[in-house]
Amino acid sequence: MQRTTSGLGIAGRVPGYEAQAQLEQAWRPWVKLLDVAVQAAESGAWASTVPQLPAQNSAAWPPYAPLLEGASIRVDARRARKLVRELIHAADEAREDGAGWSTGLRGRRLDAVGLLHAAIVRDHAAVTRIATRAGIDAQALEVIAQLAVMPLLHACAEQWREHIPSAWTHGYCPVCAAWPTLAELRGLERSRRLRCGRCATDWPLPVLECAYCGETNHDQLGTLTPEGESQTRRVEVCYTCKGYLKAFTTLRPMTLRTIAMTDLGSVDLDLIAQEREYARPSQYAHTLTISVSRASASR
Ligand SMILES: [Zn+2]
Ligand SMILES: [Zn+2]
């Protein structure tokens, strides 16, 4: 099972991003937002929100459906609203123009439960509707919403870990359907594990397989490595679908926090890939059908 980097095709050498310091400046404000979401995930407060695992009739259950498919999630609306408001507040602090969405939000309704649903299934139109009603920039709310679902999805992944099909062979998360945030090349044997940045689920995919389109022809797969760096971080690219995925060597599995911080701290790799016109898919391969509603026992 030993493999070498050359097995991935021609490793393109690209210059390191010169404005690294500027970049760090740019992403630093996001650390606070991430911290709000990750702290909520680590607190365990969302464990009671995890729905029953949808009944999986083995005969009818599509082998490509993530565990969340068909779930009916009931959320404490106040908890959801509190988290979203905390995130919006943190986003306000990160703004350079001094204006604040929190102020404008007072007295306006923000459908936090609807927002969680829209974020999980990645319904951009619904996020935009909720943003318009609340007087918040839609793109900012999209980011906030993805952070807001982390505690709930992380709790699902923790409780359902043993139900993840061992034969899962897809590039998307077997729990929440998201594309992997990054790939780990783990341990001395550098086994490739894909990691979900929303729920921290961890699943294997062969080194020579594109997570997005399933390409396995090694002539169609390559890597980009920042110049002057050792092989601890790189970008895996697919010439067939023009997709890219950041990959990092690690000894141990990353925690949700480490995944998020590693992703945020490697924006230079995203730029290296995007400058060469590689992209991450804007749509999920599988659109979840789930319901998210307000729990009646909401205090
Ligand atoms: Zn996931
Ligand atoms: Zn591909």
Side-chain angles (χ1 to χ4, degrees):
M1 292 297 280
Q2 194 71 24
R3 42 144 221 99
T4 60
T5 337
S6 57
L8 273 177
I10 310 145
R13 302 289 292 182
V14 294
Y17 196 73
E18 284 160 12
Q20 184 68 28
Q22 265 180 327
L23 264 181
E24 281 178 18
Q25 210 65 23
W27 61 256
R28 195 144 291 157
W30 293 100
V31 175
K32 179 82 185 72
L33 269 109
L34 254 182
D35 200 48
V36 170
V38 173
Q39 266 191 33
E42 288 170 348
S43 73
W46 287 74
S48 56
T49 311
V50 175
Q52 260 197 328
L53 195 64
Q56 296 182 25
N57 175 338
S58 55
W61 197 253
Y64 50 80
L67 293 181
L68 256 179
E69 179 64 36
S72 300
I73 306 170
R74 299 179 76 79
V75 176
D76 178 335
R78 287 177 72 173
R79 178 180 290 144
R81 210 156 37 230
K82 183 167 171 287
L83 175 61
V84 174
R85 281 181 184 270
E86 275 176 20
L87 287 164
I88 292 172
H89 187 69
D92 277 346
E93 288 182 347
R95 288 176 72 175
E96 282 168 0
D97 57 6
W101 289 307
S102 304
T103 333
L105 200 56
R106 264 178 227 136
R108 291 211 203 203
R109 277 200 59 78
L110 183 120
D111 180 7
V113 174
L115 186 64
L116 293 188
H117 177 268
I120 294 171
V121 304
R122 245 186 147 189
D123 181 345
H124 300 294
V127 173
T128 303
R129 270 198 307 277
I130 295 168
T132 308
R133 225 174 292 144
I136 297 177
D137 175 70
Q139 263 189 328
L141 193 64
E142 185 88 51
V143 175
I144 287 165
Q146 285 303 323
L147 291 166
V149 294
M150 280 165 69
L152 168 61
L153 295 177
H154 184 245
C156 290
E158 292 232 297
Q159 288 186 34
W160 295 347
R161 194 173 310 175
E162 65 205 50
H163 298 283
I164 295 171
S166 54
W168 188 260
T169 54
H170 305 287
Y172 53 92
C173 175
V175 172
C176 80
W179 289 118
T181 294
L182 52 86
E184 288 179 5
L185 303 170
R186 192 188 298 162
L188 296 174
E189 68 282 2
R190 300 271 174 102
S191 55
R192 186 175 183 233
R193 309 286 307 190
L194 303 187
R195 300 302 307 273
C196 176
R198 307 205 298 176
C199 73
T201 291
D202 173 335
W203 73 104
L205 201 72
V207 171
L208 292 172
E209 183 169 336
C210 172
Y212 309 122
C213 75
E215 179 62 81
T216 53
N217 177 353
H218 63 89
D219 288 337
Q220 290 299 102
L221 301 164
T223 57
L224 304 170
T225 313
E227 202 166 86
E229 280 195 29
S230 53
Q231 292 280 322
T232 56
R233 358 175 277 151
R234 65 188 195 203
V235 185
E236 299 173 345
V237 296
C238 172
Y239 308 137
T240 304
C241 70
K242 297 292 277 177
Y244 79 91
L245 183 62
K246 297 186 284 187
F248 303 84
T249 56
T250 171
L251 285 175
R252 281 185 298 276
M254 293 185 192
T255 60
L256 179 66
R257 182 180 291 272
T258 315
I259 296 168
M261 291 305 295
T262 305
D263 180 35
L264 202 53
S266 57
V267 180
D268 60 322
L269 294 184
D270 292 284
L271 293 178
I272 284 169
Q274 287 161 15
E275 276 167 5
R276 284 155 186 78
E277 297 188 349
Y278 293 101
R280 288 169 51 81
S282 58
Q283 299 292 321
Y284 286 169
H286 178 89
T287 304
L288 290 167
T289 304
I290 58 164
S291 74
V292 182
S293 57
R294 185 187 264 268
S296 47
S298 170
R299 276 160 291 136

